[in-house]
């Protein structure tokens, strides 16, 4: 028997404890116990706006190197972090749209704070967060697979610290980092990867990538750290700085 708590801090109030074995799922609400069949699907009871309702909880929690299918064409890639150090650390997300050879198709297929939309309009950055303050995603990039240029074979999401060398900053001063995918229409969280390694000297991290295999789009949790700036990745993915 395993006990755990399911909690969505952004929308719902936590009111229950969930316990389950391989055949049953039980939900405890005050002194009332309700049981459901458990068939690799989790149903939980939420409270919102003075009413109760059941909700299916299907988000996948990824570990480094794990891959999972993307079953929707339109979704958001949200990235978040908190800053430990005093003063501001400006973290920036960049999406590199690569062809089958692993090179960026052109400069217009790099999406970041100075170029918020890709040439095919399939990938859109919602804007730069310079502090990492507040709850929820710090930066969001929306993706519409149906609009992708046919040459795009993968999209790599890199987070760098702006002027890290000049400011003496690194990811050792950053905590609670994650990358997650949410359905654009329902805002349901599909999967999340929480970076739990100690990146004590790294100045940039490849958080994850979307890639296509046999017509199926997938997401891979990467979590690869580098002591490099954004220019390094521009060159790594086939363009001149």
């Amino acid at each position: 028997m395993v006990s755990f708590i399911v909690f969505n801090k952004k929308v719902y109030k936590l009111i229950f404890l969930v316990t389950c074995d391989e055949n049953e799922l039980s939900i405890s609400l005050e002194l009332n116990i309700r049981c459901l069949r458990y068939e690799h699907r989790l149903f939980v009871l939420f409270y919102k706006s003075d009413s109760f309702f059941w909700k299916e909880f299907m988000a996948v929690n990824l570990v480094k190197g794990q891959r999972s299918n993307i079953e929707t064409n339109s979704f958001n890639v949200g990235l978040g972090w908190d800053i430990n150090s005093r003063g501001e650390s400006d973290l920036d997300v960049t999406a590199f749209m690569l062809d089958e050879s692993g090179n960026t198709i052109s400069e217009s297929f790099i999406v970041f704070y100075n170029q918020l939309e890709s040439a095919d309009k399939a990938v859109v950055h919602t804007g730069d967060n310079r502090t990492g303050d507040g709850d929820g995603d710090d930066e969001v990039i929306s993706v519409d697979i149906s609009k992708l240029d046919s040459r795009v074979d993968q999209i790599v999401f890199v987070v760098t610290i702006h002027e890290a060398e000049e400011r003496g900053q690194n990811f050792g001063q950053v905590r609670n980092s994650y990358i997650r995918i949410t359905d654009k229409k329902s805002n349901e969280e599909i999967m999340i990867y929480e970076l739990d390694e100690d990146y004590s000297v790294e100045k940039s991290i490849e958080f994850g990538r979307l890639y296509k295999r046999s017509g199926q789009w997938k997401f891979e949790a990467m979590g690869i750290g580098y002591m490099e700036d954004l220019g390094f990745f521009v060159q790594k993915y086939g363009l001149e700085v």
Side-chain angles (χ1 to χ4, degrees):
M1 183 72 72
V2 178
S3 297
F4 58 95
I5 293 175
V6 179
F7 178 42
N8 184 327
K9 68 179 181 181
K10 302 183 82 172
V11 181
Y12 307 111
K13 180 181 179 182
L14 175 66
I15 56 169
F16 55 85
L17 175 69
V18 179
T19 61
C20 66
D21 56 27
E22 63 183 12
N23 295 316
E24 275 191 343
L25 175 128
S26 301
I27 295 180
S28 173
L29 176 61
E30 296 179 349
L31 299 178
N32 298 320
I33 304 295
R34 300 181 182 183
C35 296
L36 300 175
R37 297 299 297 176
Y38 183 70
E39 299 176 349
H40 306 292
R41 299 166 69 190
L42 175 62
F43 291 88
V44 295
L45 186 63
F46 286 101
Y47 173 80
K48 183 182 180 184
S49 301
D50 299 322
S51 62
F52 296 97
F53 62 98
W54 294 102
K55 183 178 181 65
E56 187 172 1
F57 186 82
M58 299 179 64
V60 176
N61 287 282
L62 301 174
V63 298
K64 184 174 181 176
Q66 188 176 358
R67 307 175 184 191
S68 185
N69 290 348
I70 302 291
E71 303 293 354
T72 181
N73 282 335
S74 183
F75 52 89
N76 290 326
V77 180
L79 300 96
W81 51 78
D82 293 317
I83 306 299
N84 287 329
S85 61
R86 294 180 180 178
E88 292 186 359
S89 293
D90 182 11
L91 276 66
D92 300 312
V93 179
T94 303
F96 292 90
M97 303 171 69
L98 313 180
D99 59 21
E100 290 184 351
S101 65
N103 292 319
T104 307
I105 294 171
S106 71
E107 290 184 2
S108 60
F109 285 86
I110 300 176
V111 177
F112 67 123
Y113 59 87
N114 270 343
Q115 183 167 265
L116 298 179
E117 187 176 75
S118 60
D120 57 9
K121 303 186 184 301
V123 178
V124 180
H125 194 308
T126 60
D128 186 20
N129 181 330
R130 294 176 177 267
T131 65
D133 291 339
D135 294 330
D137 302 331
D138 290 301
E139 295 194 8
V140 177
I141 293 180
S142 66
V143 179
D144 189 335
I145 290 175
S146 66
K147 294 181 180 180
L148 281 174
D149 187 293
S150 60
R151 295 170 292 175
V152 178
D153 187 67
Q154 61 176 308
I155 305 172
V156 180
F157 299 93
V158 176
V159 177
T160 55
I161 301 176
H162 182 60
E163 297 182 343
E165 191 70 30
E166 294 85 343
R167 300 179 181 182
Q169 296 175 338
N170 55 55
F171 272 88
Q173 299 159 330
V174 179
R175 57 187 171 85
N176 301 331
S177 299
Y178 68 86
I179 180 171
R180 69 181 188 132
I181 294 178
T182 58
D183 185 273
K184 196 170 183 179
K185 292 183 179 179
S186 66
N187 203 36
E188 296 295 325
E189 185 176 280
I190 300 171
M191 62 189 72
I192 185 170
Y193 167 46
E194 298 173 304
L195 286 73
D196 55 5
E197 292 187 23
D198 179 18
Y199 299 95
S200 57
V201 297
E202 287 82 353
K203 298 178 175 63
S204 53
I205 299 178
E206 290 175 330
F207 270 50
R209 68 175 182 132
L210 297 166
Y211 68 100
K212 184 171 58 177
R213 287 294 181 273
S214 302
Q216 172 68 59
W217 281 91
K218 302 172 180 285
F219 177 79
E220 178 184 7
M222 297 175 70
I224 303 173
Y226 298 83
M227 295 178 63
E228 307 290 348
D229 61 11
L230 182 58
F232 165 82
F233 294 98
V234 173
Q235 291 183 316
K236 175 183 178 181
Y237 294 125
L239 296 178
E240 295 295 328
V241 177

